[in-house]
Amino acid sequence: MAKIVAVANQKGGVGKSTTAVNLSAVLNARGAKTLLIDLDPQSNASTGYGIPRASRQSSLYDAMVGSTSARDLIRHTPFGDCIPANVGLAGVNLELAGEDDRAYRLRKVAAPLRESYEFIIIDCPPSLELLTVNALCAADSVLVPLQCEYYALEGLGELVSTIRMVRRGLNDRLEIEGILFTMFDSRTRLALQVVGEVKKHFPDKVYKTAIARNVRLSEAPSHGKPVIYYDRFSKGADNYQRLADEFLSRNGWQPPRKGQ
């Protein structure tokens, strides 16, 4: 039975899609059967998995409005399975605005997929609107990428408030999976201050691994590859492999034995 993890932050440009893509790819490479769901109309995660824009005629929008099943949307790639996104996802806000179950559509369509995977990673849009609320209602936990800058702290407070609201009224099992520092530069005083402040409020949730600024990590999406397939010796690849190891350890996952 898959654990569903939403990668969410309402602030854009914090490494959210980069984290969803590269964590999913490394988990899959480790032997944990993983599905990446792109729930962002900008579809950056789909690009990061090498799915051509011209071939993304369908997205979870079609499943959420009842015209197809989520399983029919799965694409098999060299890096793992993915449900790609397209700009049509933006129509969910209007299409479902008057529906009583609008916050639970993703939970319903994703439920049958749980039996086929160990982890389902959802890349959320950079907002706290209906698509993200759907992801939080479907998820077991939230992984929060956080850029090491002052404004990130304000955004984290808003996201935590939203998570608490969802937990109270929509999904009482929702937890914070972890907080991941991205674009990290240990030479700057501000980065260290932000880390210290977040650790003060969330001492057990901050990942020991931080994702450093890395040119190869920035280049990889333009080649349609996660960084471990683009340059496995790069610092970005090392960072995400360390993150995956920490993620798997926290979740008590053990690699399958040979022959199983």
Side-chain angles (χ1 to χ4, degrees):
M1 182 68 72
K3 180 176 188 178
I4 300 180
V5 181
V7 181
N9 190 323
Q10 75 275 22
K11 191 176 185 302
V14 299
K16 180 180 54 58
S17 296
T18 298
T19 295
V21 164
N22 289 290
L23 176 59
S24 296
V26 178
L27 292 178
N28 203 69
R30 288 281 192 272
K33 191 164 177 55
T34 303
L35 171 67
L36 171 63
I37 293 179
D38 192 349
L39 201 63
D40 186 348
Q42 298 179 78
S43 63
N44 291 330
S46 306
T47 299
Y49 254 40
I51 300 173
R53 189 172 296 274
S55 69
R56 304 174 204 162
Q57 289 88 1
S58 300
S59 70
L60 267 177
Y61 168 85
D62 301 280
M64 291 170 74
V65 299
S67 61
T68 189
S69 73
R71 194 174 297 279
D72 290 338
L73 300 170
I74 296 172
R75 304 285 291 276
H76 305 293
T77 81
F79 323 118
D81 290 354
C82 176
I83 295 180
N86 59 30
V87 71
L89 266 171
V92 164
N93 288 320
L94 290 175
E95 185 75 21
L96 302 182
E99 301 296 326
D100 292 338
D101 66 342
R102 59 188 176 275
Y104 295 103
R105 291 294 183 96
L106 181 58
R107 177 190 286 189
K108 291 177 181 177
V109 302
L113 303 177
R114 281 185 181 261
E115 62 189 27
S116 302
Y117 297 94
E118 292 171 272
F119 298 101
I120 296 175
I121 308 295
I122 304 174
D123 182 32
C124 299
S127 71
L128 295 177
E129 295 182 354
L130 186 57
L131 282 170
T132 299
V133 171
N134 263 266
L136 297 181
C137 288
D140 301 299
S141 63
V142 188
L143 192 161
V144 185
L146 195 68
Q147 191 175 354
C148 294
E149 60 176 34
Y150 176 75
Y151 289 122
L153 294 176
E154 293 182 349
L156 178 60
E158 292 175 14
L159 180 59
V160 169
S161 295
T162 300
I163 291 170
R164 287 173 178 162
M165 178 190 71
V166 170
R167 186 186 295 145
R168 284 196 302 267
L170 299 169
N171 179 8
D172 60 6
R173 71 175 185 272
L174 186 65
E175 299 178 348
I176 295 177
E177 179 74 26
I179 298 171
L180 173 69
F181 291 109
T182 59
M183 305 176 198
F184 180 71
D185 186 345
S186 61
R187 299 170 298 178
T188 67
R189 182 179 298 176
L190 178 59
L192 298 177
Q193 287 175 340
V194 170
V195 170
E197 192 67 23
V198 175
K199 284 184 174 180
K200 187 190 305 180
H201 292 92
F202 303 94
D204 301 322
K205 296 299 184 181
V206 175
Y207 285 106
K208 295 177 182 177
T209 304
I211 309 301
R213 292 185 182 274
N214 179 251
V215 173
R216 292 303 205 190
L217 195 55
S218 301
E219 293 174 346
S222 66
H223 294 267
K225 295 180 179 180
V227 70
I228 61 165
Y229 293 90
Y230 177 62
D231 185 350
R232 63 190 181 95
F233 298 109
S234 66
K235 189 171 186 64
D238 178 69
N239 287 168
Y240 275 106
Q241 289 184 86
R242 290 174 183 271
L243 172 65
D245 289 340
E246 193 174 349
F247 176 92
L248 290 171
S249 177
R250 286 189 180 193
N251 282 284
W253 184 87
Q254 296 295 327
R257 295 179 181 179
K258 291 182 178 180
Q260 286 187 342

